[in-house]
């Protein structure tokens, strides 16, 4: 399929680690690599303006590796989680969202390799930028007094610069820990010419990411400044503290690769972070026609006539007609060829706007009522009756406008989950669920007396459903197409990915090949690192037919 509006797809230099990748089986790799740029680095970043520009750009580095299409794989990871549905070949969507699932092609020649190469290289490039800036600040502080260094004289707040660089350094390491089975921890203390780096497992990378975020939080807590570099927003240092707490909560929960790891999360710590976290949605605002401030999910993911449909595995559980039960039974039996589009009948007004007419748009989903823009030969199960429209204004404004990246409901659902796992108040769990269930879904309120259920319960909006089932429904509908990868990480930890879906991805083959290291991969039915079926994909025979 041809692109018409991928302004962010640009050639870029891999400004990242050079020759540092190694498999854990190899152990560690001596980075005896000549760095011809090193002698000039102190000169290149001697001017305060250069360093400020470098630091302000680390937010773009993070964003491009998370919310872009090929650069961050946002659309790819959404289809992998059966949030969006699309059988176009772009970014590996057709290959990896088709059923039965196959393993990821990690070869350096795979035409869709950008969905893992993009996050890997872009994150490390951004980390390198943050490291260079932090080193420049340290040199200025060592060469002159901390109160009279070049940055202070130029009107900049050194604490502000350091906190922002450390925050984005932590965010980028955090995303590496969520996507890949292993990665390098590469901060400003690393000397690429003399240090030996060891590829570390995702859990350790996650902890190091949190350490960096905590350092940024400490700086912000002890100082007063504002952050002007997140598009359309002006964050105070205390706003930054709240945002960091919420990101730490996200990373702490979403690093889990299966239900056992998710259950073992320190939920008490997560609840404390949420209480000290954001108090309103975190919504950067794009205003450059999608040149850099581009959100693939808010653009292509809202286009139901060409690019995307809402996957039935996400919106189908709300159906009360029996159509989804029939669709799901055929999918579970492997009868993929006989599934067809059906109209959803539901009381959830976010999906369908009328109790009498299933063709009326809901507040969040738009009725399409046809098979869709995809080739039928690639599977009718990619089709659905609806596309997501909650953020369609961004698409219609030519990639300008609000780009919600972290909403309060995400935090509310972590809190509800933690309370259910820890035996907390079911009344409070119901209250958290009802914030959106009642006001936006126009559904009857959940009750503290409802059965708590378990994390394996199928997603459901029904009054008779468990609190766990209702929580899953609210999370899936409300966080739809916010942060890149969010639905995938969530389903992975709860055990709701389709059988054979990779639970994480290998170090990109291009890096392994460059170093002469053995390739490896994950996923495929029966393959290493392929997810099992659980919860949300089981037919719920209790639904009214």
């Amino acid at each position: 399929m041809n692109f018409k509006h991928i302004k962010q797809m640009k050639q870029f230099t891999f400004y990242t680690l050079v020759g540092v990748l190694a498999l854990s089986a190899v152990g560690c790799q001596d980075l005896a690599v000549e760095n011809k740029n090193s002698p000039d680095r102190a000169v290149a970043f001697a001017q305060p303006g250069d360093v400020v520009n470098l630091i302000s750009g680390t937010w773009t580095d993070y964003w491009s590796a998370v919310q872009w299409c090929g650069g961050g794989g946002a659309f790819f990871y959404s289809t992998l989680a059966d949030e969006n549905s699309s059988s176009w070949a772009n970014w590996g969507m057709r290959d990896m969202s088709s059923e039965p699932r196959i393993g990821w092609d990690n070869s350096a020649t795979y035409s869709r390799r950008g969905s893992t190469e993009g996050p890997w290289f872009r994150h490390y490039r951004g980390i390198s930028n943050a490291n260079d800036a932090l080193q420049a600040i340290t040199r200025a502080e060592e060469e002159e007094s901390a109160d009279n260094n070049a940055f202070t004289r130029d009107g900049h707040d050194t604490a502000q610069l350091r906190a922002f660089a450390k925050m984005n350094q932590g965010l980028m390491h955090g995303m590496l820990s969520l996507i890949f089975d292993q990665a390098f921890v590469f901060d400003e203390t690393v000397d690429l010419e003399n240090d030996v780096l060891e590829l570390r497992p995702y859990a350790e990378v996650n902890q190091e990411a949190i350490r960096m975020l905590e350092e940024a939080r400490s700086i912000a807590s002890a100082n007063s400044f504002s952050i002007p570099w997140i598009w359309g927003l002006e964050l105070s240092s205390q706003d930054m503290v709240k945002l960091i707490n919420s990101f730490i909560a996200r990373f702490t929960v979403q690093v889990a690769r299966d239900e056992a790891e998710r259950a073992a999360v320190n939920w008490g710590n997560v609840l404390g972070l949420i209480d000290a976290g954001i108090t309103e949605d975190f919504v950067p605002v794009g205003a450059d026609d999608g040149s850099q401030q581009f959100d693939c999910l808010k653009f292509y993911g809202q286009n139901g006539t060409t690019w995307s449909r809402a996957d039935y595995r996400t919106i189908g559980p709300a159906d009360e007609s029996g159509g989804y039960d029939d669709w799901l039974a055929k999918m579970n039996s492997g009868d993929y060829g006989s599934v067809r589009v059906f109209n959803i009948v539901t009381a959830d007004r976010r999906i369908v706007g009328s109790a009498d007419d299933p063709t009326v748009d809901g507040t969040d989903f738009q009725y399409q009522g046809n098979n869709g823009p995809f080739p039928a030969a690639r599977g009718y199960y990619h089709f659905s009756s609806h596309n997501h429209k909650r953020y369609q204004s961004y698409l219609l404004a030519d990639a300008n406008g609000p780009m919600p990246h972290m909403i309060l409901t995400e935090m509310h659902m972590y809190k509800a989950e933690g309370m259910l796992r820890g035996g907390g108040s079911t009344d409070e769990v119901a209250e958290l669920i009802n914030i959106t269930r009642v006001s936006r879904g126009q559904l009857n309120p959940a009750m503290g007396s409802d059965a708590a259920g378990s994390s394996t319960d199928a997603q459901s909006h029904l009054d008779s459903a468990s609190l766990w089932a209702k929580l899953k429904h609210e999370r899936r509908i409300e966080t739809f197409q916010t942060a890149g990868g969010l639905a995938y990480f969530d389903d992975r930890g709860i055990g709701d990915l389709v059988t054979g879906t990779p639970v994480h991805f290998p170090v990109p083959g291009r890096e392994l090949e460059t170093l002469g290291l053995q390739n490896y991969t994950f996923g495929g039915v029966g393959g290493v690192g392929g997810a099992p079926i659980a919860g949300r994909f089981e037919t719920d025979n209790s639904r009214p037919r």
Side-chain angles (χ1 to χ4, degrees), residues 54 153 176 237 273 290 305 345-346 361 387 405 476:
L54 198 62
R153 293 197 305 270
L176 288 166
S237 51
L273 288 164
T305 60
V345 176
T346 180
D361 291 352
N387 66 273
H405 190 59
R476 289 291 269 164

Side-chain angles (χ1 to χ4, degrees), residues 326-386:
D326 179 66
W327 184 94
L328 188 59
K330 290 174 180 176
M331 292 295 292
N332 286 344
S333 69
D335 187 13
Y336 307 120
S338 66
V339 298
R340 292 294 185 272
V341 170
F342 63 90
N343 285 341
I344 293 176
V345 176
T346 180
D348 192 327
R349 294 293 161 255
R350 291 165 293 192
I351 301 173
V352 176
S354 169
D356 302 316
D357 185 354
T359 70
V360 175
D361 291 352
T363 58
D364 292 20
F365 294 87
Q366 183 175 35
Y367 182 76
Q368 293 289 345
N370 57 55
N371 286 335
F374 318 131
R378 296 181 180 181
Y380 280 101
Y381 58 88
H382 288 290
F383 301 155
S384 91
S385 56
H386 286 74

Side-chain angles (χ1 to χ4, degrees), residues 262 417 471-479 490:
R262 183 94 163 205
E417 180 177 346
L471 182 159
K472 284 188 176 186
H473 182 74
E474 288 308 301
R475 175 152 51 201
R476 289 291 269 164
I477 299 302
E478 286 292 320
T479 64
D490 231 350

Side-chain angles (χ1 to χ4, degrees), residues 446-488:
M447 307 296 290
S449 57
D450 292 342
S454 74
S455 63
T456 60
D457 288 354
Q459 170 188 337
S460 176
H461 71 298
L462 296 177
D463 292 347
S464 59
S466 70
L467 291 174
W468 261 107
K470 291 170 182 171
L471 182 159
K472 284 188 176 186
H473 182 74
E474 288 308 301
R475 175 152 51 201
R476 289 291 269 164
I477 299 302
E478 286 292 320
T479 64
F480 202 105
Q481 296 189 153
T482 49
L486 188 64
Y488 168 64

